Every structure is written in structure tokens, then in C-alpha cells.
Amino acid sequence: MTVEIGIVGAGNRGQAHADSYGDVDGADVVAVADIDEEAAAELADDHGADVYGDFRDMLDDAGVDAVSVCVHNNLHRPVAEAAADAGAHIFTEKPMAATYADAKAMADAAETAGVHIGVQNYDLFNDETRAASRLVDQGELGEPYYARGVFSRRRGRPYIDGYGTPGFVSKDSAGGGPVIDIGTYVLGQLLYLLGNADVERVGGATFEKTDDAYAEEQVGENRDTYTGRLEESGYDVEDSGVGMAHLADGSVLELRAAWHMYLPDRPSVVAGSQGGLQLDPFEFYTTTGDYEATVSLDLDEYERRQGLIAGDGYETADTGDQFAHWIDTIEGDVDGEPIDTGDLALNSMRIMEGIYLSQAAGRELTAEEIAEQSESTAVEL
């Protein structure tokens, strides 16, 4: 069976999705939709696909089995709901949406329609996460109860500092800054390793320090370039955010996400009652024979050997990435339980918006309060 896919959004992310599907057996990009029909035509030409200026026309005419949603965050909900109504499976760029309310509506629409919904998170499928998951499943950590996730740049605001477009730094299109832009990666990864228990309460704070960061004594003669880009982009999101989520099983998850913070990035970690681990570089901490042990695992050799076992003994088989996993999920071909990237992203969304709402409230908020206070920011199309 071939899963026929429509790409909505022909920008950088749409190109990345289309190229990734090109490497997956059983996936075929058959249609591309974008209001910029020239961009859609260019991407479609690369993949022998049909071109549409309106994604609804694509859903009506192309008969796609699945849709990749590669537009800005506040556009995810209307595209996903339309895809669900058309009976198409939904795979969306991260974060799932700009608010928990919109993400929950997307999940509900998929459930009602009986289609799968997945969310892009490459960290869920890297070698480090696979190794950590195996150790957790084998009981090597005992009972996991704490995780800390960090995704922190010294200076890396999208567009302002180079990479990306102004849409990343505007609440109207993105909904927020690094908390939902890059925090979503580590939250999904660590929630997965902790078992994705329900969120009970969230506290946090966000910071915006652009004026100080681009002072003349900091950036010299380049100041006009940065301030010009700030003004042009309408930058109105946070530079950094920190938060803590208490989960229903008693475990705790901390997050630090920053586009700009004068601190180094740090590896994410998970601690359990009988062991702990650091993800990158990967280390396993335990006690053996009454000695405290720090163990390095050869992840590359393990993955190579598994590829040889799955292959013909000479050529390694691809052990799978998120796009292959998504196609296998649609077809029901996943070996074991598929990773529910949609549910992980929805739980992550409650934490991320909880950080924003906690900042506004000046206190921790319960999961129920977050759901009640969350409002749709989706753009009507």
C-alpha cells in the first residue's frame, strides 16, 4: 500500500517534510497546497505532485490519505480540522498549535473522524531517546521520578539573529517564543521517557530582554541591523522561559527554553529510584556491587548492529525515523506500540501554555485552570 500525502505549506518545513517522505517506502507526495502558488509549484515539481492554491481544494480533489501541516502555529487548527473532516490522517509541524485549546480541538477532531494525528518531534526518534527508553523499559532506572530538559541558545532569535522568518517571533502567527518553539522538543521527549502521565499543575516564568541584548556596547556597528529586524518583525514574544510541571504519578519535569540567555546549553536528564541518565552525551548512572557507576554506551554500534540484523547481513536496514514511523502508524505496521506523538504533544502543550498563564497569574496553575483559561488563537481560513 502507498500512503498518498498532501503537503500544506511550501516553505522550509514543507520542503523538509516532502524530502523526508521521499526517503520512506510506501509514502508518496501527490499534492502541494500554498497560497503562494509559485512556491507550491516549485515544490510540487520536485516531487511530481499536483499544485493547489487552496488546501481545501486539495482535500476535495486530490484524495490524499494524509496531510502534512507545515504552516505557522496559528494555522494548524483550521487545516487539521478540515483534513479530519475529509478523512485524512494529520501530521503537523511542532508545536501542535499555539494554545492548548486549539491543540485539544485538533485532537478531538481527529478522534471523532477516526484518523491518526501525529506531531513532528525528531528528538523522539534519535539514538539517545531509543537507548533511554530501552533502559527505562528494562527497569534499569527503577521508578523514574524527575526529568530536566534544556534547549538554550546563547543568541539565536529566529530572523533577528539570522535563521528563519518574522513569523516565528510574532504572537499573531506563532503564539509564543522559545517555550513553544523549541521547548516542545524536550518536553515531548522527557514526557515519553517518564510515561506521559497527566499534568497536575504547572508554574513558570518568561523573560524578554531584547533592549539590553542589542545595546551598542554589546553588538557595536551591527546594532542597526538587529534593531531594524526587530522593528520589521513586530517581535512580541519571550526570549526565554522556565517552568516546572508536577505530573499525576508524582514525577516532576523542569524546562528551560531560550533563544537568548547568557548561560550554556545543558544535557537533558532523567532520574529514577535505581538509576539515572543523561541524554547527550549519553551516560547511565547506577550503583553496582556497592560502587557508584557511570556507564558510557556505544549507541552507534548498537544501531549499526540492529540495522544489520534487520537487513541482509551486509547492507544495513534503516531502523526508522519519525516519518517512517508515521507512515507505519497509518498502515498499522509498527512493531509494538506506536509512539503517540499527538498525545505527547498535547500534554506538552498544556505544560507550555501553563508556563505562560502561570507568568500572568503569578502562581502555579492546576491542569483544570490551564484548560479553562486557554483560548483559541487560531486564524479562521
Side-chain angles (χ1 to χ4, degrees):
M1 172 185 172
T2 297
V3 177
E4 296 190 336
I5 298 159
I7 305 289
V8 180
N12 173 272
R13 303 322 300 156
Q15 295 168 27
H17 280 226
D19 289 345
S20 295
Y21 285 124
D23 295 330
V24 178
D25 290 339
D28 186 18
V29 175
V30 299
V32 179
D34 198 303
I35 57 173
D36 183 347
E37 291 194 48
E38 184 176 342
E42 183 176 347
L43 179 57
D45 185 60
D46 290 340
H47 296 273
D50 295 328
V51 179
Y52 295 89
D54 189 319
F55 72 93
R56 290 187 179 87
D57 292 336
M58 181 190 78
L59 292 170
D60 289 340
D61 299 340
V64 296
D65 301 308
V67 169
S68 259
V69 183
C70 303
V71 290
H72 284 300
N73 305 343
N74 277 323
L75 299 174
H76 288 187
R77 177 178 175 177
V79 177
E81 288 181 330
D85 287 344
H89 302 288
I90 306 149
F91 189 77
T92 182
E93 258 298 320
K94 59 78 188 171
M96 192 170 185
T99 67
Y100 175 78
D102 287 326
K104 183 66 165 61
M106 292 163 61
D108 290 345
E111 183 177 8
T112 299
V115 299
H116 292 289
I117 185 165
V119 180
Q120 189 275 122
N121 187 340
Y122 58 77
D123 278 350
L124 286 169
F125 297 88
N126 63 29
D127 293 352
E128 289 77 15
T129 303
R130 283 198 286 265
S133 178
R134 291 183 188 104
L135 293 180
V136 170
D137 290 345
Q138 292 166 10
E140 299 290 346
L141 271 65
E143 180 186 352
Y145 60 86
Y146 170 77
R148 183 201 69 218
V150 178
F151 196 148
S152 187
R153 301 171 183 162
R154 183 72 62 89
R155 191 170 71 188
R157 296 176 182 83
Y159 184 68
I160 313 305
D161 294 317
Y163 172 83
T165 61
F168 280 95
V169 298
S170 165
K171 287 182 182 177
D172 286 344
S173 56
V179 169
I180 65 171
D181 177 48
I182 54 180
T184 186
Y185 284 121
V186 291
L187 283 177
Q189 179 188 44
L190 296 178
L191 281 168
Y192 172 60
L193 296 176
L194 288 174
N196 200 29
D198 290 340
V199 175
E200 282 198 339
R201 64 187 193 276
V202 178
T206 61
F207 309 92
E208 192 274 307
K209 304 292 182 183
T210 53
D211 289 344
D212 289 344
Y214 295 111
E216 187 171 356
E217 61 269 24
Q218 293 282 89
V219 296
E221 62 184 16
N222 292 320
R223 184 174 187 276
D224 288 347
T225 298
Y226 297 124
T227 55
R229 285 185 165 225
L230 281 166
E231 183 176 356
E232 177 188 347
S233 68
Y235 191 103
D236 63 353
V237 295
E238 81 277 5
D239 295 329
S240 60
V242 296
M244 176 181 286
H246 294 261
L247 308 183
D249 63 358
S251 58
V252 172
L253 197 165
E254 288 186 78
L255 172 70
R256 169 161 65 92
W259 286 338
H260 174 81
M261 181 177 277
Y262 288 115
L263 286 176
D265 197 13
R266 298 176 69 187
S268 294
V269 298
V270 180
S273 58
Q274 293 184 307
L277 56 86
Q278 173 182 279
L279 284 161
D280 189 12
F282 195 94
E283 292 182 339
F284 173 51
Y285 312 115
T286 189
T287 300
T288 181
D290 210 25
Y291 291 95
E292 306 312 312
T294 299
V295 183
S296 296
L297 303 183
D298 191 337
L299 306 190
D300 291 340
E301 173 59 19
Y302 178 89
E303 295 295 339
R304 185 192 71 83
R305 188 168 58 254
Q306 299 310 303
L308 285 171
I309 292 170
D312 62 8
Y314 294 96
E315 296 293 328
T316 60
D318 186 356
T319 53
D321 66 1
Q322 62 179 331
F323 289 92
H325 187 86
W326 167 239
I327 296 302
D328 286 345
T329 299
I330 292 173
E331 295 184 318
D333 289 340
V334 176
D335 185 14
E337 281 293 316
I339 298 175
D340 193 341
T341 59
D343 197 40
L344 288 164
L346 181 61
N347 217 12
S348 299
M349 197 72 244
R350 195 191 292 261
I351 296 173
M352 294 183 294
E353 186 161 18
I355 291 172
Y356 292 135
L357 294 174
S358 171
Q359 166 77 13
R363 63 176 178 86
E364 279 191 339
L365 298 177
T366 66
E368 293 74 19
E369 288 176 314
I370 294 166
E372 290 169 359
Q373 294 181 29
S374 180
E375 298 179 355
S376 173
T377 58
V379 176
E380 292 188 15
L381 297 176

